Amino acid sequence: MVTAGAEGPAGSGAQLFVIDPIERLNPAKDSSVALMQAAERAGRPVWVTTTAGLMARQPPADGGDPMEAHGAWALARPVSTLPWHQPGDPVLLPLEAFAHVWMRKDPPVDEAYLYATHLLELAERRGVTVINRPAALRAWNEKLSSLRWSRLMAPTLVASRVDALAAFTAEHREVVLKPLGGRAGQGVVFAAAGTPGLGALLELVTAQQSLPVMVQAFLPGVSAGDKRILLVDGEPLGAVNRVPSGDEFRSNLAVGGQPQATELSEAERRICAELAPALRAEGLFFVGIDVIDGRLSEINVTSPTGIREVERLGGIPLADQTIARLPSG
């Protein structure tokens, strides 16, 4: 393992991607890989690490003042993505060596994830641009953050009490239950007022009334698709429509949803325009929102996906456009 200072081997304009182990990524489908390849096309060296590779430490004895305050470092590996192959040897680098640090670790947003955002915040205080901003990653739960714009959503309740959830279900007849920490449609359940054992189901999803869940009125329009819209610095650059397969009501690609080319409606553009000021103000540079039948469903900020589908179906060079819009760093 090599240790380098801020002027070390990362390279001018270098990008660091904090991701899941790179061996798990599918280059043909993964949005992080699409961004890495776009960065390399733009002449920006690409490095990767994991949350386990982040650390806070003083400068090494041969690399600076040992009394200097702790900063954020990463055990990072350089990677050439064109063509795709495995990364090089690890180098211990201060995060100031990178023009931008991308936090692209997939959920769950667990203790390890939260601690990683605190370490990234150390780098941010030293002028490093982190995408997306660590404080916003902690504050914007991908389900609950939509409640800032509840009038754009389907009727929604967040609660842990079974009686409240049952009453909401009785009022709206058909609902969708969503765990607040879920991703890719995992744990999302359809229920109806007449569902046998509804009370037991509600006890199960709330862990015996100890965890809140989101319940929303079911939108039959989901059969026509759930639209993923990708926003870069608040501007929608592309979208893909995800249509459920067979008897499945969930449209997530991870559970078999089929991607289709699509255009944004005026209503969807208005939703994006309403969200844009808050996204920009809170440092949410790359975001994916989900819209069903003209209603806002979720705001994805951790590691939004869909780039490959937008590029393939819409002919939009979305990853290159994203890299071109990066803030100076």
Side-chain angles (χ1 to χ4, degrees), residues 2-6 57-69 73 92-94:
V2 177
T3 300
R57 58 169 289 171
Q58 294 169 313
D62 59 351
D65 181 357
M67 298 305 292
E68 184 179 342
W73 294 64
L92 185 60
L93 290 166

Side-chain angles (χ1 to χ4, degrees), residues 126-149:
R126 296 191 179 205
V128 177
T129 299
V130 182
I131 301 170
N132 285 316
R133 190 173 184 183
L137 291 175
R138 293 193 299 270
W140 286 59
N141 174 275
E142 299 188 328
K143 307 292 191 301
L144 295 176
S145 59
S146 302
L147 297 176
R148 300 190 189 195
W149 296 273

